[in-house]
Structure formats: C-alpha cells, structure tokens
Amino acid sequence: DLNTFKDPKRARKLIGAIEAVAPEHATLMEVCGTHTVSIARFGIRNVMPAGTRLASGPGCPVCVTANEDIDVAIALARTPDAIITTFGDMTRVPGSTSSLNKEKAQGRDIRVVYSPLDALAVAKANPERQVIFLGVGFETTTPLVAIAIKRAKAEGLANFSVYAACKNMPNALDVLMGDPELKVDALILPGHVSTIIGMEPYRFLAEKYRIPGVIAGFEPLDILDALLMIFRQLSEGRADIENAYARGVMPHGNEVALAAIDEVFETCTVSWRGLGPIEGSGYRIREEFAAYDAMRRFAPTVEETREHKGCRCGDVLRGIMTPAECPLFRKACSPENPIGPCMVSSEGSCAAYYRYY
Ligand code: SF4
C-alpha cells in the first residue's frame, strides 16, 4: 500500500523509475539492522521489480555477536558484587547455557542502559560496586564507548570497565563479498555507520569486487532513492560508491568520533556469528586504558561454548538463507521463545520477518 509511504506521489514516481531501469535479475543486500526493519515494515520487498530481490546481511550488532562473547558476558555477570550494564536486547540472547536474563532471575545485578554514558552514571552512583558495560555495537556505538572510557580515566573512576566487543562493518563486508556461496550484485550501505566512517572505507567494494554500493537513509523514500541509484549503476554497468543520504553522511565521516575510537582502541581479529574470525574487524582497548578493560580486570572463564542446535542464524546473517527458510522459524522459534539472536533483537532479520511477513 503506497499510502504507508510519507509522500505516496513521490514514492510512485520512484517506483516507476526503478522499474524502468532495473535489470532482469539482481540481488541487493542491506547490511544494517535498521534498514532490515524499515524494508520489512514498509513492505519494500513488494515493490521490487520482478527478478530482483533484497537479502539481509550481518547488520544487527547483537545478532553478529558470537556465542563465546555472550558466554563471557554471562561469566562477567557472575563476578561477585558486579553490576552489568547493557543494551536491552543483549539480556535476552541465549548463550551456550544461560542468558543475562536467566542470570538476573538468579539474583545477578543486570541493568539495561541506553548509552555507555548511562553506565558511567551507574558507576558513579555505586562507588562500592564494580560496574561493567558490555560494549556491543558498530561504528555508531564505538565512539560513545571510547568517550565513556576516556571520561572514566579523566575522572579517576576506579569501578568502571568495559567488555570490548564492538565491531566494524567494512572488514565484514570484505569477507562477505569474497564468499563464493553468496551472489550479491549490489549493497545498500548503512546510513548510521556511514555518518561516522564516511564513504572511503567502502571504496574497495567497487574496486576489488566491482559491486555498487549506495549509502541510504531510513525513511521509505530514502531507501527507494538508494534502490534507484543502485539499479541505475547496474543498468549502466558501473560500480561506484554513492551517497543517497547526503543530509546525514559527510564524505569523510565524523572525524571527532573516529579520533576518539582511535585514541582508546586498536583493531584486532574477532569472531562474528556466521562469518567466523575476521581480521581487523574488532576493537581491543589500548594499553593506556587497560585499567578499564573488563577482560584484564576480571579474567572471566567460560567452561564450554556450544551453538544452538538447529539455529541457522549464521546462514541468515550471511544472506544465504531467509529466516522463513529456517526449519525452526515460527515453530520452535518465535520472539516469545527465541532460539537465536536474530529472533531476539529488534533489528534481527528473523524478528523482522516474524513481525511483518
Ligand atoms: Fe535461529 Fe530462530 Fe532465526 Fe531459525 S528462526 S535462524 S532458529 S533465530
């Protein structure tokens, strides 16, 4: 229903233009959880020209967090007298044998916050307790985590630390686009992440893989604009990185945020759910800020990491399977009883499919 678009007239025009230039066959992938939700919510798949399709990629930070990281978070929650602060979705993600919510039910102190800076406030209000923030997110979250650590150091806050599990998107895209099983012709690039990193880090997509990429905003018309730009590139045989979200993204990103990340973190190899270990895709706290690293402070131990039987989140995150193709979808797995993180997180593909299809 075109009336769900804020400006149905413009939407109709864009859809007509998209149909006029779309190739016979093309698979486009979105790699941002907010896009996944917008695409599902506004029914954008229904206006894709015949022969073309939209696949979802690893755009939900909670979903790509590996089971071993969830297990470490649970082990940290068992630290005597600790307060765990985290974004809400993380509390429901099942680890190998427990979840943060289950730990909370057993009396551990787990609090939902909306920003790492809120976690700092919890630390200040509880000077006799150790407050650990679970740093999970992409380039939009990482600068805030860096700022929280810098502030804690500047204020001499001795009871605050971070479990650093943030990730960056371009290195994951490099691995994904090199995957022979995945046939993607173009990428809808994430608006929020690009606000921080700008356009340059995606250049390799066009140069190494000849894959067009267009940065998109989150309103339905923004996404249609980006689709039109992608289809134009495909029909002209071009592969460029373009920006359909000029009101939010500067070509060089946000230099202040990037400097904060660089001051506090260095990149390292980390494991992604579904994609495995990816070089340079994670952030480790630098030596100068080691006192704020929960891993160094508490050295948590995890006995055994096991995957969830039957859950296909890994394949969903690689875009080689739609949530509906998972045998557990809508059967054993639902938002009330999620088996994997893609059904837990509000930005997860399985949750978006469950809600809107
Ligand atoms: Fe995993 Fe559930 Fe998604 Fe299947 S539907 S991939 S079990 S989260």
Side-chain angles (χ1 to χ4, degrees):
D1 177 5
L2 284 182
N3 290 323
T4 57
F5 293 100
K6 286 208 176 112
D7 181 347
K9 230 163 134 192
R10 218 183 122 211
R12 203 165 286 124
K13 222 168 140 195
L14 280 167
I15 292 165
I18 287 169
E19 273 167 5
V21 292
E24 260 177 52
H25 300 285
T27 298
L28 278 48
M29 177 182 260
E30 97 272 354
V31 289
C32 165
T34 314
H35 281 152
T36 303
V37 174
S38 284
I39 285 167
R41 179 158 162 228
F42 295 108
I44 294 199
R45 281 194 174 79
N46 301 334
V47 302
M48 290 292 282
T52 67
R53 72 178 191 102
L54 277 169
S56 300
C60 154
V62 170
C63 306
V64 296
T65 300
N67 244 16
E68 56 248 48
D69 285 319
I70 309 283
D71 292 341
V72 169
I74 289 164
L76 284 168
R78 293 173 180 165
T79 307
D81 272 341
I83 301 174
I84 294 287
T85 49
T86 179
F87 298 134
D89 284 347
M90 280 291 287
T91 59
R92 297 177 58 225
V93 178
S96 299
T97 52
S98 182
S99 71
L100 289 170
N101 262 355
K102 283 187 189 156
E103 296 298 312
K104 189 173 180 176
Q106 285 171 21
R108 325 269 184 215
D109 195 342
I110 290 152
R111 304 187 191 181
V112 171
V113 292
Y114 295 96
S115 153
L117 301 175
D118 296 344
L120 267 189
V122 175
K124 280 185 206 164
N126 295 275
E128 72 297 346
R129 311 271 302 276
Q130 285 292 329
V131 175
I132 303 166
F133 176 71
L134 305 181
V136 168
F138 291 129
E139 289 92 330
T140 34
T141 304
T142 318
L144 294 174
V145 181
I147 289 166
I149 291 174
K150 278 175 57 168
R151 269 197 205 163
K153 186 173 183 186
E155 294 174 19
L157 210 56
N159 66 329
F160 176 77
S161 60
V162 168
Y163 176 48
C166 287
K167 296 179 174 58
N168 61 51
M169 186 49 85
N171 287 296
L173 293 183
D174 199 357
V175 167
L176 208 59
M177 293 307 112
D179 182 341
E181 259 191 90
L182 185 72
K183 303 273 177 272
V184 167
D185 301 292
L187 287 166
I188 301 171
L189 296 170
H192 292 146
V193 163
S194 307
T195 309
I196 306 297
I197 67 174
M199 297 174 72
E200 270 319 298
Y202 303 116
R203 203 63 69 192
F204 73 93
L205 292 166
E207 286 165 5
K208 182 169 164 191
Y209 297 106
R210 302 275 318 141
I211 287 188
V214 175
I215 298 169
F218 301 96
E219 294 295 330
L221 290 175
D222 292 331
I223 296 172
L224 291 180
D225 266 334
L227 290 177
L228 179 58
M229 286 166 79
I230 287 174
F231 284 132
R232 276 204 185 118
Q233 287 200 44
L234 290 173
S235 72
E236 291 164 13
R238 284 188 295 123
D240 293 321
I241 303 305
E242 295 178 328
N243 186 6
Y245 190 39
R247 70 177 188 278
V249 174
M250 305 295 283
H252 291 100
N254 180 333
E255 282 161 9
V256 175
L258 289 172
I261 295 178
D262 192 46
E263 185 181 345
V264 175
F265 295 107
E266 54 195 340
T267 54
C268 61
T269 301
V270 286
S271 262
W272 293 53
R273 190 184 298 271
L275 304 181
I278 303 178
E279 211 184 313
S281 70
Y283 293 99
R284 181 169 47 215
I285 296 173
R286 287 187 188 275
E287 204 52 51
E288 301 93 281
F289 295 93
Y292 302 92
D293 184 346
M295 286 303 273
R296 285 159 163 129
R297 194 179 287 186
F298 301 107
T301 49
V302 172
E303 270 156 31
E304 185 201 359
T305 292
R306 300 188 225 132
E307 293 307 321
H308 311 298
K309 236 174 141 202
C311 174
R312 305 291 295 272
C313 274
D315 292 335
V316 170
L317 291 164
R318 285 166 66 216
I320 59 171
M321 179 185 247
T322 66
E325 288 166 336
C326 168
L328 304 186
F329 183 73
R330 280 194 202 280
K331 294 184 183 109
C333 185
S334 65
E336 292 70 44
N337 180 34
I339 308 278
C342 300
M343 188 61 95
V344 170
S345 172
S346 52
E347 294 198 339
S349 299
C350 299
Y353 265 70
Y354 189 94
R355 191 153 171 215
Y356 297 110
Y357 294 112

